[in-house]
Every structure is written in structure tokens, then in C-alpha cells.
Amino acid sequence: MTDYEKYAAQVALVKEECKDADDKEIAEEFRRYQEEFLIEPNDAVRSVIMKFQKASGKEVSSISSTPARVEKKVDRFSDLGSEDKNVTIEVAVVTYVPRIQMVRGEEKQIAFGWIEDNPWESNDKRERWDFKDWGAHSENLAPNSVVRLEGVSVNEWNDKRSININRGSRVTVLREGGPAVAPMSDEPVTIEKASENEGYVTLLARIISLKPDVIVKRDGSGSLDIFRGTFADSSGNISFLSWVPVNHEIGDLVKIEGAMIRKFRETPEVNINDRTKIEKYHDNNFASTEELSQITTSKIGDLRNGMKDVITTVQVESWQSRTFTNSDGEEKIVRSGDVMDPTGRCRLTAWCEIDPKPGDFLHLTNARVQFWQGSPDLVVDSSDQVSNLTDAPWEAIDPEQHWVDIELSDLVTSGSRRGIKTRGTIVAIRADSGIIHRCPECRRILRDGACIDHGAQHGVEDLRLKFVVDNGVHNAPLIMAKDPSEKLLNMSQEIVKEKISKTGHEDFLSEIRNNYLARKVIIHGRSLVDTQGAMVLAEEVTFDNTSNEDAANLVMQEWGVLL
């Protein structure tokens, strides 16, 4: 690659100010700044422009005579005003989509996308803004990366604010991102591929469900008519939200160009607007609606927070109802219970009048998924969504014995699950194991005698053990509450408290490490997986006494290995 090709973007910027300058000489100057002075090309643009302006005899005002712009450092978008110019902020890059756009009569590549503030916190504590990259910073703005933006400005249009990343802005990568989102293409991709990242895609899919809906504006100024539904192909299905009417019917095969994939909680969703093109498509080899019915049916083990239009079948384990008064003073009844299928168990909440019995099989349609105590659980809003099956789809499951055996690696790399059984080796004993104190109001652990929400408190004593388990490929924190801790230690909370008061906390930890470190364990419980990682909450932990020889034989038997 020649110097001119390497610095083509920066050369173009200089040429806008110094039209008579020689391209090769400009490129050589950028090479000199980078190799001799270790100054990156984007940071040297102003200096190079000044040099060629002086060489041409053009009067250049001294930099020192120009008042320095005041830098504004913020952590959140909410701290910014519409007139802020020289802004420094750390953000997470969600999408980066380059496009060709006419700027002052010339075609230029500009990039659009989404960024989120407060990048080191969980997603629910972030605010998302649009951004526009005018300075060809694509190398440092990879999706899923965290960057520091310096010298950016705020733009406001139609009461919506966004960030302009300018030619002179500086972008510093603080955490490397993942694979880049491919530029928008006319070539369709599968739903499975499209679901991997956020960004623009073209899909070829069949409409499985479609219904009108209404969104009430947050500011109370009115409502918006929208359409919700589901697309499916042979690789999977995905929900969509359309801000414009969808003039097609359930069962139609359509090509969707310019669709935006955006994640709602943990679940990717297709966003359709007035720039999206949807047209009917003909392909006799494409799977029919009936053939896609198996793909669009979900299992409990596949549930993720934010899913909509879920079709599934469950077995009822327990059921109850309770009455409460909402914020408007209205008395409401909510019905809920534990349900299961061969892949796991979850909670089912019904905001309608249904009364199944333990052991009943329910077929659910158009259900939605939301988090309950950290696990993705099912919700139905109308009795029309529930059918009580007379024919059992599988042999009745015994709730007392229903634990789904899952490798630790699969737990760590998938979503939150309940009713799981996994194995690992204890590789660390956390120092905060032992007697802890909880807030009597919310049960949170007290720090220095205070609750983060309720202030100074006289804590309630509790017992907790925290380990780290590893399977040779992945590891995860293992947390045990009072009951499983007492059973594993073979001593009550009172005895643990007495032991710690006599010998000290460090001796207690040392004894646990001597007894349990490097021991293989079998864990029954549930897993919680979020942006901060995965953890396993145990209901029971037992030691795995399988010998190495027996373990090797089991592996060979599973994989059909003959020696």
C-alpha cells in the first residue's frame, strides 16, 4: 500500500483547505508525523493544513490567538445540552453502519449508529443515542466496543439529540469490540445470522403472526399505532415491530430490505420504519407455514428475556392466585405457578382467569417473556392464549426429580435457567463466605452496617457460602444460601457463628479451603446470566465421588470410543 492510499482520508481533508497542494507531498507529511513524531494521522491534520497554507503564502492566524474551547467532561447523556460542542464522554458502541451520502453536492461516506452512555454499568442503567461519524473513525468504533470520545458535539433535530463525531474528534478504544456489523446489503441473510448483532439487514421470511397495537407516548402527548408480529425461516424466528402499516397477511413470504435489528432486553427484534421496503416474494422451495410451525414452537430452555409471541407447551407443577391493589387503587387478581417441560422449569403468570390443576398440560400462544427473580418466565394476558390439552405431549414429569443436566460451559454461554443440574470443580473459596448481615427491609447484604437503599440498619444474620467452580473450559461463581450451606458444612448457622467467634474468620475460611478446594461437586439449582457474567445459585451441592476411571469410561461410552 502506497503512502497516498494509506493516508487517503487525511489527504482529502487537507485538499479541502489547500487545493493546490501535491497529494504525494501531503501523504509524505502524514507519514513523517506518524513515523518520526509518533503522532496519529487524524491528530496531525490541523498541523499539516497549516504547513501547506504557509507554503502557499496564505496568511494563517496563530493558534495561540484563538480562544481555547472549554472541554466538557460528562458521564451521562442527560448532562449534555443541545449547544455543547467540545464534549468528552465514554460510551459503548452498539451499531456502526456506513452509508454514502451527498454532502454539499459531493458523495461522501458517513456512518450512523447507536451509542450508550455509562458503558461500565448494566444495560438497564444506560441511555441510548444516535450518532453520526463525519471523520472516518470506523477502525475505532467497532460494535460492542467501549470508547472515549473527545471533541464531539451535540446535535438536536425534531427535539431529539444525537452525537456528532467530527473530523477533529479523538476516539480512544478502552475495550475491544466484537465482530463488525456488515454493511447493509441487498442479499438476504438468515434470521439466525441476523440475530447475532444489531444493525441493518435484508431478510427473506414468512409472516407467522401479525396484529395491530398501540404505544402510549411517555410524555403523555398521545399514542402511536404500530404493528407487531413474527417472521420465520428455516433457521428460526424473530419478532418485529413496525411503525408503518404492514400491507401483507399471515403466511405471506416477503423480502424485507433495510430492516434494523435491535435488541429488546436480551432478545433481538426487527424494527421496520418508512425507509424499510417490504415486498411479496415467490419461492416454491421456501418452507411453508406448516413446516415452520415446529421452528416457531419454543421450549422453556430456549426462553430469553423480552421474547414475544411465544408458542410453547408446559406441564403445571403448582398454581395459586393473589389479590392486590394497583397504583390507581384498583383491586386486581394475578394468577401464577411453576411450570415445566423436558428442558427445564419456569414461572407462568396469567393476567386472566384460568385455573389449571397440578399435572395439567397447557398449550400457550402469543405469550411473552419477562424476568422474575432473575429468570426468564412466561406471561399470558388473555384466556384465549391458553388451551388445556387432553392428550399429554410427553410422559408426566415428576417435579421432585426434574433436574435438567447441563454442562457448565453451556450454562455460562446461554441464558438464565431454572431447574438445572451441573458439575464442576471448586477452584476458589471467596473471602466473604460465612456469617453475613442482611437488611431487614429488603434482604440486601449490609456494607459497613448500612443498606444501599435503607441506610444504617441492625442487620439480620444469615449464612452464605461463595465458591468458584470450573469444568476445565469455563468457570462461574457458585452461591449457596443458608439451607444448602448448612447441609454441605454439616453444621448449623449457630455452630458456624460460634466457630468463627472462637477461632476467627480466617481460620474458618482456611478449614473450608482444606476440606473443599479441588473437590468435584454436583450442583442442583438455577443460573443467572447477564451482561456482568454468569453465576450459579445452588439449592443443593453434593460431592461427585466418581473415580477418574469411571469418568473416562462414561466419556468413551457417550462418544462411542472403542480402545
Side-chain angles (χ1 to χ4, degrees):
M1 178 184 292
T2 65
D3 287 344
Y4 177 73
E5 292 172 332
K6 184 176 180 180
Y7 304 112
Q10 290 78 20
V11 170
L13 295 177
V14 176
K15 291 285 287 185
E16 290 181 6
E17 303 291 336
C18 310
K19 300 184 182 299
D20 297 329
D22 183 77
D23 292 1
K24 292 182 179 180
E25 290 182 8
I26 298 173
E28 169 61 23
E29 194 65 19
F30 279 112
R31 183 203 63 76
R32 191 168 68 88
Y33 267 89
Q34 186 172 32
E35 296 182 3
E36 297 181 17
F37 306 127
L38 302 181
I39 298 176
E40 290 300 311
N42 286 338
D43 297 331
V45 170
R46 180 59 184 161
S47 299
V48 174
I49 289 175
M50 291 181 63
K51 174 178 179 177
F52 284 95
Q53 284 179 335
K54 290 178 180 179
S56 65
K58 183 177 180 181
E59 183 177 347
V60 181
S61 59
S62 172
I63 296 178
S64 61
S65 65
T66 304
R69 291 189 301 168
V70 178
E71 180 185 26
K72 182 172 184 178
K73 293 184 178 181
V74 298
D75 296 320
R76 296 179 178 275
F77 292 142
S78 57
D79 297 329
L80 293 174
S82 59
E83 301 298 324
D84 287 331
K85 298 298 181 184
N86 190 24
V87 174
T88 295
I89 185 172
E90 294 181 2
V91 299
V93 182
V94 180
T95 62
Y96 188 91
V97 183
R99 283 188 177 179
I100 300 300
Q101 180 172 314
M102 294 297 294
V103 180
R104 296 172 185 169
E106 296 182 19
E107 282 192 350
K108 292 189 176 182
Q109 180 170 296
I110 309 297
F112 302 80
W114 292 322
I115 51 178
E116 294 179 340
D117 63 3
N118 208 23
W120 308 109
E121 297 292 338
S122 58
N123 289 342
D124 59 350
K125 297 181 180 179
R126 302 179 185 178
E127 183 179 356
R128 179 176 290 189
W129 277 21
D130 294 337
F131 77 88
K132 186 176 289 187
D133 176 21
W134 298 94
H137 296 286
S138 59
E139 291 184 2
N140 294 330
L141 289 171
N144 304 316
S145 63
V146 174
V147 301
R148 181 187 298 112
L149 303 178
E150 299 174 80
V152 299
S153 57
V154 178
N155 179 60
E156 184 170 1
W157 186 74
N158 283 350
D159 297 325
K160 183 178 181 182
R161 294 177 183 176
S162 61
I163 292 291
N164 279 338
I165 303 175
N166 308 302
R167 288 180 295 183
S169 300
R170 183 183 180 92
V171 181
T172 304
V173 179
L174 304 179
R175 188 185 71 193
E176 295 290 342
V181 175
M184 186 171 61
S185 169
D186 291 336
E187 290 298 319
V189 298
T190 65
I191 288 176
E192 181 182 27
K193 181 68 175 177
S195 301
E196 293 177 357
N197 293 295
E198 295 185 303
Y200 287 97
V201 295
T202 295
L203 298 173
L204 186 61
R206 199 173 293 281
I207 300 175
I208 300 301
S209 66
L210 177 64
K211 60 182 179 181
D213 202 352
V214 175
I215 291 180
V216 179
K217 294 183 179 179
R218 292 182 179 179
D219 59 7
S221 60
S223 60
L224 295 172
D225 294 327
I226 62 169
F227 287 82
R228 296 188 186 275
T230 307
F231 293 131
D233 65 13
S234 57
S235 70
N237 64 88
I238 188 170
S239 298
F240 69 83
L241 184 154
S242 178
W243 302 95
V244 295
V246 178
N247 300 315
H248 298 279
E249 299 178 353
I250 294 175
D252 283 352
L253 176 62
V254 292
K255 184 178 182 180
I256 310 103
E257 296 182 17
M260 169 60 80
I261 304 293
R262 182 172 184 176
K263 285 195 174 182
F264 174 71
R265 295 173 183 162
E266 295 181 355
T267 305
E269 180 181 71
V270 177
N271 268 242
I272 297 171
N273 55 38
D274 55 0
R275 295 183 179 181
T276 307
K277 182 180 178 181
I278 305 179
E279 59 182 3
K280 202 164 184 177
Y281 197 85
H282 297 280
D283 183 352
N284 294 330
N285 295 322
F286 199 90
S288 65
T289 304
E290 292 74 18
E291 292 171 331
L292 293 172
S293 62
Q294 294 295 323
I295 297 172
T296 57
T297 299
S298 301
K299 299 176 182 178
I300 288 178
D302 300 326
L303 298 182
R304 298 293 181 268
N305 190 22
M307 291 177 67
K308 303 182 184 71
D309 298 323
V310 174
I311 302 172
T312 190
T313 300
V314 297
Q315 177 185 327
V316 178
E317 178 181 348
S318 62
W319 196 254
Q320 56 274 328
S321 63
R322 64 179 179 88
T323 303
F324 69 97
T325 303
N326 65 13
S327 58
D328 296 326
E330 299 173 326
E331 193 173 85
K332 296 284 187 179
I333 299 176
V334 59
R335 299 168 173 85
S336 62
D338 292 319
V339 296
M340 52 192 173
D341 73 3
T343 68
R345 63 177 77 202
C346 70
R347 190 83 171 170
L348 170 63
T349 299
W351 295 98
C352 55
E353 189 174 347
I354 62 172
D355 189 26
K357 303 294 187 295
D360 284 356
F361 291 92
L362 305 180
H363 183 68
L364 312 178
T365 58
N366 297 323
R368 52 191 173 90
V369 179
Q370 66 181 23
F371 258 30
W372 182 80
Q373 293 187 351
S375 299
D377 291 339
L378 293 161
V379 181
V380 292
D381 300 291
S382 169
S383 57
D384 296 339
Q385 298 173 245
V386 184
S387 302
N388 203 321
L389 302 180
T390 55
D391 296 328
W394 56 76
E395 187 176 347
I397 299 171
D398 180 2
E400 298 295 327
Q401 304 298 324
H402 186 47
W403 300 96
V404 181
D405 206 336
I406 305 173
E407 287 290 330
L408 183 64
S409 295
D410 294 332
L411 283 183
V412 171
T413 56
S414 63
S416 302
R417 303 276 299 266
R418 292 177 61 197
I420 57 93
K421 175 184 177 183
T422 192
R423 294 168 174 80
T425 301
I426 299 174
V427 295
I429 312 294
R430 295 284 297 271
D432 51 351
S433 296
I435 300 297
I436 58 174
H437 293 82
R438 296 187 182 276
C439 173
E441 299 281 341
C442 63
R443 297 288 295 168
R444 283 193 176 94
I445 296 174
L446 301 183
R447 306 293 183 188
D448 298 324
C451 172
I452 190 172
D453 289 332
H454 301 99
Q457 295 286 337
H458 181 68
V460 178
E461 289 184 346
D462 196 8
L463 174 62
R464 181 188 66 177
L465 295 179
K466 294 183 71 174
F467 299 163
V468 176
V469 291
D470 188 289
N471 70 343
V473 179
H474 290 89
N475 60 68
L478 170 64
I479 301 177
M480 287 176 279
K482 176 182 176 180
D483 289 345
S485 295
E486 288 183 331
K487 187 172 181 180
L488 184 70
L489 296 172
N490 196 25
M491 63 179 75
S492 67
Q493 177 178 318
E494 289 302 318
I495 295 176
V496 172
K497 179 182 176 182
E498 183 179 352
K499 179 185 286 290
I500 292 176
S501 65
K502 287 182 178 179
T503 63
H505 188 256
E506 287 302 321
D507 284 349
F508 171 73
L509 292 178
S510 179
E511 182 179 341
I512 294 179
R513 292 188 178 103
N514 291 335
N515 292 336
Y516 303 141
L517 205 57
R519 295 286 299 273
K520 296 179 181 179
V521 290
I522 301 173
I523 306 159
H524 295 77
R526 62 190 179 108
S527 63
L528 298 181
V529 183
D530 57 22
T531 56
Q532 306 301 312
M535 68 173 66
V536 181
L537 305 182
E539 295 180 26
E540 182 183 26
V541 175
T542 57
F543 293 113
D544 185 355
N545 295 317
T546 305
S547 66
N548 292 335
E549 182 180 354
D550 291 340
N553 289 332
L554 289 173
V555 171
M556 288 189 291
Q557 181 179 350
E558 179 181 355
W559 291 95
V561 177
L562 298 176
L563 298 179

